[in-house]
Amino acid sequence: MPEPDTQPSGALVLFSGGQDSATCLAWALDRFERVETLGFAYGQRHAIELSCRDALRTGMTATRPDRAARLGPDHTLSLDALGQLSDTALTRDAAIALGTNGLPNTFVPGRNLLFLTFAAALATRRGLRHLVGGMCETDYSGYPDCRDDTIKALQVALNLGMDSRFVLHTPLMWLDKAQTWRLAETLGGKALVDLIREQSHSCYLGDRTHHHDWGYGCGTCPACDLRSSGWARYRADTAAHA
Ligand code: ZN
């Protein structure tokens, strides 16, 4: 088996076009010599999120030739089976609601296990060693497939099952949404914060018509609630330290 430092050091970023994955892309562009992106299509009704990816990729590299030189192709994998498996508001016209288990009914059981497994298969084909995802325990602790222990266990399983040395990175694991905005500011200043605020998309309802100080969205679904409260705390903290 080759030594780790002789292996390719490129990264594949799970890139949905949301705030978290956009921040992860900027994080990866500062760390890896080659960065490619991956989005999944599985019939979710906010397919608008996927269309935000181009604007974010372009915006992140437009004034940064160093980042432009590192950014490789964007990939999309169709996971229609996931849409077939889910009976949730992501794929049907049901209202967003929290179930008795505290999980939004948008939850697709174990989807991040599938995403990372497909990402590892693609990364093998592309010669990329690092997988980067926006999984986070802090805001969505109800999602068991986003927990740190799950990701660590999956890294072991992927490396055993694919005889590989993948490294799974989750730079947002212990950050809340306010701290994620702060990370974007650290990575790219106001320009990156503004880009992510305007071009990334989180709203479960796919609303790109209502504009708020935190970006576009319906303003009432759980994803918009999380995003707006995170933005408010980020701004309040910025003002307090100005
Ligand atoms: Zn919304």
Side-chain angles (χ1 to χ4, degrees):
M1 181 172 289
E3 291 301 314
D5 61 1
T6 65
Q7 294 185 335
S9 61
L12 181 63
V13 179
L14 275 68
F15 187 51
S16 68
Q19 176 192 350
D20 291 347
S21 67
T23 307
C24 284
L25 176 56
W27 182 89
L29 285 169
D30 276 359
R31 276 162 184 77
F32 302 106
E33 65 189 23
R34 184 159 62 99
V35 177
E36 301 185 10
T37 53
L38 169 62
F40 295 100
Y42 54 101
Q44 70 269 49
R45 67 184 183 187
H46 61 285
I48 185 82
E49 193 175 83
L50 299 181
S51 74
C52 294
R53 282 156 48 198
D54 273 347
L56 287 163
R57 283 171 48 95
T58 302
M60 244 174 251
T61 54
T63 59
R64 290 283 301 264
D66 56 327
R67 285 184 178 159
R70 294 166 174 225
L71 183 58
D74 182 42
H75 308 272
T76 302
L77 287 177
S78 172
L79 288 187
D80 290 341
L82 206 58
Q84 290 177 282
L85 285 167
S86 69
D87 184 7
T88 71
L90 271 181
T91 49
R92 296 191 179 183
D93 287 329
I96 305 286
L98 292 181
T100 52
N101 59 0
L103 295 172
N105 62 355
T106 51
F107 180 67
V108 180
R111 66 178 175 179
N112 284 297
L113 304 178
L114 297 168
F115 290 165
L116 283 163
T117 303
F118 276 98
L122 176 65
T124 300
R125 292 280 184 249
R126 301 294 302 167
L128 302 168
R129 183 179 180 218
H130 300 270
L131 303 178
V132 183
M135 296 79 183
C136 170
E137 276 204 16
T138 310
D139 284 323
Y140 280 123
S141 57
Y143 285 104
D145 58 340
C146 289
R147 292 178 189 152
D148 194 46
D149 284 353
T150 304
I151 303 300
K152 285 184 165 69
L154 188 60
Q155 174 175 301
V156 174
L158 291 171
N159 285 332
L160 287 171
M162 296 188 185
D163 193 19
S164 54
R165 290 298 296 162
F166 290 117
V167 183
L168 272 55
H169 301 266
T170 53
L172 311 184
M173 182 58 73
W174 307 109
L175 305 184
D176 63 22
K177 281 284 184 287
Q179 291 168 321
T180 299
W181 286 117
R182 184 73 58 201
L183 175 59
E185 183 186 314
T186 303
L187 291 167
K190 183 177 183 299
L192 183 61
V193 171
D194 288 346
L195 175 74
I196 293 174
R197 191 180 54 156
E198 293 301 309
Q199 300 295 345
S200 76
H201 188 81
S202 308
C203 176
Y204 285 145
L205 303 181
D207 187 320
R208 293 290 292 172
T209 58
H210 294 91
H211 188 259
H212 313 265
D213 57 352
W214 44 266
Y216 287 95
C218 73
T220 56
C221 77
C224 283
D225 280 348
L226 194 61
R227 181 160 163 149
S228 63
S229 66
W231 175 258
R233 279 183 286 115
Y234 163 66
R235 294 300 298 160
D237 184 58
T238 301
H241 292 87

